[in-house]
Amino acid sequence: MELKFSTFLSLTLLFSSVLNPALSDLCNPDDKKVLLQIKKAFGDPYVLTSWKSDTDCCDWYCVTCDSTTNRINSLTIFAGQVSGQIPALVGDLPYLETLEFHKQPNLTGPIQPAIAKLKGLKSLRLSWTNLSGSVPDFLSQLKNLTFLDLSFNNLTGAIPSSLSELPNLGALRLDRNKLTGHIPISFGQSIGNVPDLYLSHSQLSGNIPTSFAQMDFTSIDLSRNKLEGDASVIFGLNKTTQIVDLSRNLLEFNLSKVEFPTSLTSLDINHNKIYGSIPVEFTQLNFQFLNVSYNRLCGQIPVGGKLQSFDEYSYFHNRCLCGAPLPSCK
């Protein structure tokens, strides 16, 4: 009798779930409600067509659920188009670890303050959009962030120094905006990981912080700004830096006196006011890329290593550089 009853109960639940799919949803009902409100706030865009109240939101496009808790842990919209501002509702998905809006030219307005509520967020990517306003200070509250990408937007104002308070950050991308002011001194006083740093294609000015002497960046790109003075603090014999791009600034220092790490594989310093000569140590480095053109360098290009594998365009338009691949010294 007990076996028959359990079989009947199982069949009842099966038919109930077929008739009412919500009963078999893995998706948390609170998460589903918020997502449907986000869809409505964006005006029911085509990219969110799969977001339907009678289906399991763990199966919806652009989201994923945690395999254990079934809470929404990822919202990534990088194909198709959404329009308007980022809804404050994104802050009501408390288990989000990844939030991404990428290549959304119709996404406007400021960076949504409600994102500050997402304390579990590990990856935040708002890139290739038309977001404007400042880089908000509240981002420093998201202590679990390992990746922060705000590149290719219309962000203005200064970089908040508080971003250095993110202890787990592996990469910071603020490149291709309209940021002004100095690079914060605090960026040379990181309290945790030393992130890869991308600040190129903005309007940053002033000197590179001397505190960078204490930082061992794997990759750093400060190109196409209005930075002045000495950049030698980025380098150092004991560092493990691999990729450095300082091109198209107003930097002015003696290249001959810089101590370069043996790990360096890519160096771009073109279009600056850098003087001195090319260090003979460059012959010991395993360069995959090198460009020192449009500076004020002099003397013979050392022979050896990878230096002669680059063409004249890597060296030309200097004050008096000579030797292969440039014309021989007189």
Side-chain angles (χ1 to χ4, degrees), residues 249-256 269-278 292-299 315-321:
N249 278 288
L250 305 168
L251 297 167
E252 194 168 355
F253 59 95
N254 189 340
L255 191 69
S256 327
I269 56 174
N270 81 76
H271 286 84
N272 280 288
K273 302 175 182 178
I274 298 165
Y275 56 92
S277 57
I278 294 178
V292 300
S293 65
Y294 289 93
N295 278 291
R296 299 174 179 177
L297 299 170
C298 258
Y315 298 102
F316 74 163
H317 286 278
N318 272 286
R319 182 160 285 166
C320 47
L321 266 189

Side-chain angles (χ1 to χ4, degrees), residues 4 19 73 80 83 149 156 160 165 169 219 239 287 300 309:
K4 285 183 179 178
L19 293 171
N73 63 4
S83 299
D149 182 359
T156 54
E165 298 166 15
L169 203 60
S219 181
K239 295 188 179 185
F287 281 120
Q300 181 163 357
S309 69

Side-chain angles (χ1 to χ4, degrees), residues 78-116:
F78 55 84
Q81 297 294 316
V82 294
S83 299
Q85 300 193 16
I86 298 173
L89 292 154
V90 297
D92 296 330
L93 294 168
Y95 291 83
L96 268 192
E97 295 181 5
T98 300
L99 177 61
E100 177 176 336
F101 291 94
H102 178 58
K103 291 194 174 179
Q104 299 295 328
N106 299 319
L107 197 65
T108 57
I111 293 175
Q112 174 55 246
I115 291 172

